[in-house]
């Protein structure tokens, strides 16, 4: 009885610590929102909201409490404080490298790179769009064309304190359109706790807290977002994952995300996700207000679908994202795991110890 009581008291203390972190992140998020108007179209660098890695996207981006691979660099850097996943029948390796490319809507080119050696990580996102017609007057003929590029680089670090993983990322963000460019700086913060007695994990993160993006004389804030959620599974007896997550962005309504990953087909993984949207947002995406009707898969705006293949060398993942009237986005990512087979380091928290 004393041992069980001690374990319960320790568990309660760790959960209280995680709750305090989440409350602090929430207060930090809401304070700037209350200080000024915030709504759709009020943030710059919106490419920071396009997700990272096809696996997480296939789960509806309900990944803040999962955060067990390279995508943790984007969703919750606290995941770097935990040992690599072992329930996927893959040997943990010293290094993980993710390369991703998107066939996005409207011919937008999106490429991403992530590299980690726990507890450190590096991430890079680059978005480009060419062939934008230039006009300085209301004329049918264009005066030429120009391009736009967005780039973000981040350096991440995490460690475990009192059983809770804590992590952060320092980022530099640069946007260019035509002959104009702007630079901003930001930080991401996250916390992650995995229960040893139950197959449940809890996570919270605050992303894109930083300076404004200033073009010419006017500045625009970054798309700061608070995420908190829980994941059930990821153990040897139940390797699948069921996730629920709440997002609180500064420039839009809060949303609920659900994610499911099923690993019952050997090396193959099936994934599905869902994100709630406001009525106005869905109407705009589907073009209903203009009398348009999205066809085929594009009607499933808010749904996410994905699949993956796992091998000893790494993973190949795919995600499909319907964007309503704009069409569908196809996201691909490849994760390479290399280096010597590693065992969890002393400061790392084992993953999936519940049997």
């Amino acid at each position: 009885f004393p041992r069980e009581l001690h374990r319960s008291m320790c568990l309660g203390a760790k959960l209280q610590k995680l709750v305090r972190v989440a409350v602090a992140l929430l207060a930090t998020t809401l304070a700037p929102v209350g200080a000024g108007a915030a709504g759709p179209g009020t943030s710059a660098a919106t490419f920071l909201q396009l997700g990272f890695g096809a696996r997480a996207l296939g789960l509806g981006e309900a990944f803040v409490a999962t955060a067990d691979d390279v995508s943790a660099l984007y969703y919750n850097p606290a995941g770097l404080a935990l040992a690599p996943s072992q329930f996927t029948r893959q040997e943990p390796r010293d290094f993980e490298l993710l390369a991703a490319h998107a066939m996005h809507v409207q011919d937008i080119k999106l490429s991403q790179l992530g590299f980690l050696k726990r507890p450190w990580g590096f991430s890079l996102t680059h978005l480009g769009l060419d062939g934008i017609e230039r006009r300085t007057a209301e004329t049918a003929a264009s005066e030429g064309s120009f391009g736009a590029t967005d780039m973000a680089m981040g350096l991440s670090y995490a460690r475990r304190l009192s059983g809770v993983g804590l992590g952060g990322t320092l980022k530099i963000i640069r946007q260019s359109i035509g002959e104009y460019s702007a630079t901003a700086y930001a930080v991401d913060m996250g916390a992650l706790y995995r229960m040893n007695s139950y197959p449940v994990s809890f996570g919270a993160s605050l992303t894109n807290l930083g300076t404004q993006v200033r073009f010419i004389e006017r500045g625009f804030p970054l798309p700061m977002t608070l995420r908190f959620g829980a994941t059930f599974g990821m153990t040897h007896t139940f390797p699948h994952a069921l996730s629920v997550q709440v997002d609180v962005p500064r420039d839009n309504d809060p949303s609920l995300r659900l994610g499911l990953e099923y690993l019952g087909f050997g090396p193959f993984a099936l994934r599905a996700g869902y994100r709630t949207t406001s009525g106005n947002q869905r109407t705009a995406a589907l073009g209903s207000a203009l009398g348009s009707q999205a066809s085929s898969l594009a009607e499933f705006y808010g749904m996410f679908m994905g699949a993956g293949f796992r091998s000893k060398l790494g993973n190949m993942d795919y995600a499909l994202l319907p964007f309503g009237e704009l069409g569908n986005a196809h996201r691909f990512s490849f994760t390479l795991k290399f280096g010597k087979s590693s065992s969890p380091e002393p400061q790392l928290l084992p993953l999936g110890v519940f049997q």
Side-chain angles (χ1 to χ4, degrees):
F1 177 77
R3 180 179 301 175
E4 294 297 326
L5 178 60
H6 176 70
R7 183 195 301 183
S8 299
M9 293 176 63
C10 292
L11 175 60
K14 293 172 182 176
L15 289 178
Q16 288 178 7
K17 182 175 181 179
L18 184 62
V19 169
R20 287 197 298 268
V21 172
V23 171
L25 295 179
L26 180 61
T28 306
T29 304
L30 296 182
V33 175
T42 62
S43 293
T46 54
F47 75 101
L48 298 173
Q49 299 174 313
L50 293 178
F52 193 93
R55 180 192 173 210
L57 285 159
L59 295 171
E61 296 190 82
F63 205 73
V64 71
T66 304
D68 62 344
D69 63 14
V70 190
S71 296
L73 298 171
Y74 176 91
Y75 295 98
N76 189 354
L80 275 64
L82 281 71
S85 301
Q86 300 183 34
F87 66 92
T88 58
R89 305 181 185 89
Q90 295 173 301
E91 290 186 9
R93 299 287 179 174
D94 280 344
F95 304 96
E96 292 185 34
L97 175 66
L98 178 145
H101 184 71
M103 300 165 54
H104 222 282
V105 297
Q106 304 299 305
D107 297 324
I108 296 174
K109 302 173 184 177
L110 176 66
S111 299
Q112 295 171 317
L113 179 72
F115 175 79
L116 69 81
K117 184 184 187 304
R118 292 174 172 86
W120 293 92
F122 170 81
S123 57
L124 173 67
T125 295
H126 182 273
L127 181 144
L129 177 62
D130 298 320
I132 304 174
E133 295 184 347
R134 184 191 300 269
R135 289 182 174 85
T136 57
E138 296 182 4
T139 59
S142 66
E143 303 173 9
S145 62
F146 61 96
T149 60
D150 297 326
M151 185 273 295
M153 289 191 299
L155 178 65
S156 304
Y157 174 77
R159 64 178 300 161
R160 182 167 64 99
L161 296 175
S162 302
V164 178
L166 300 175
T169 300
L170 298 177
K171 295 194 293 190
I172 180 172
I173 301 153
R174 186 169 179 81
Q175 292 191 276
S176 300
I177 179 168
E179 62 270 27
Y180 300 101
S181 62
T183 303
Y185 303 91
V187 297
D188 298 346
M189 300 174 286
L192 186 62
Y193 174 64
R194 300 197 189 281
M195 302 177 68
N196 289 330
S197 302
Y198 302 95
V200 180
S201 62
F202 302 92
S205 70
L206 176 64
T207 59
N208 304 320
L209 173 64
T211 63
Q212 291 188 338
V213 178
R214 184 170 295 275
F215 278 96
I216 310 178
E217 297 180 354
R218 187 174 180 184
F220 299 88
L222 296 173
M224 185 170 56
T225 302
L226 171 70
R227 302 180 176 94
F228 54 93
T231 296
F232 175 86
M234 301 194 305
T235 68
H236 292 285
T237 55
F238 189 81
H240 324 293
L242 301 170
S243 301
V244 58
Q245 179 177 306
V246 175
D247 287 8
V248 185
R250 70 160 300 278
D251 57 359
N252 215 324
D253 296 329
S255 63
L256 175 68
R257 295 180 183 269
L258 304 174
L260 167 65
E261 181 173 51
Y262 182 73
L263 304 179
F265 296 109
F268 298 97
L270 295 180
R271 306 180 184 107
Y274 177 74
R275 180 194 64 185
T276 61
T277 57
S278 65
N280 291 337
Q281 186 177 2
R282 183 173 181 83
T283 297
L286 297 179
S288 303
L290 301 176
S292 301
Q293 290 186 350
S295 59
S296 64
L297 286 174
E299 297 180 0
F300 294 92
Y301 178 71
M303 298 290 294
F304 301 76
M305 292 157 277
F309 175 78
R310 297 163 292 138
S311 69
K312 293 182 178 180
L313 296 178
N315 307 327
M316 295 185 295
D317 297 296
Y318 165 77
L320 171 65
L321 290 68
F323 273 89
E325 188 72 10
L326 295 175
N328 303 312
H330 302 271
R331 305 287 291 267
F332 299 89
S333 65
F334 302 89
T335 303
L336 179 64
K337 300 182 179 182
F338 58 98
K340 65 180 181 180
S341 180
S342 60
S343 58
E345 301 178 15
Q347 72 270 26
L348 300 180
L349 181 64
L351 174 63
V353 297
F354 177 77
Q355 300 295 327

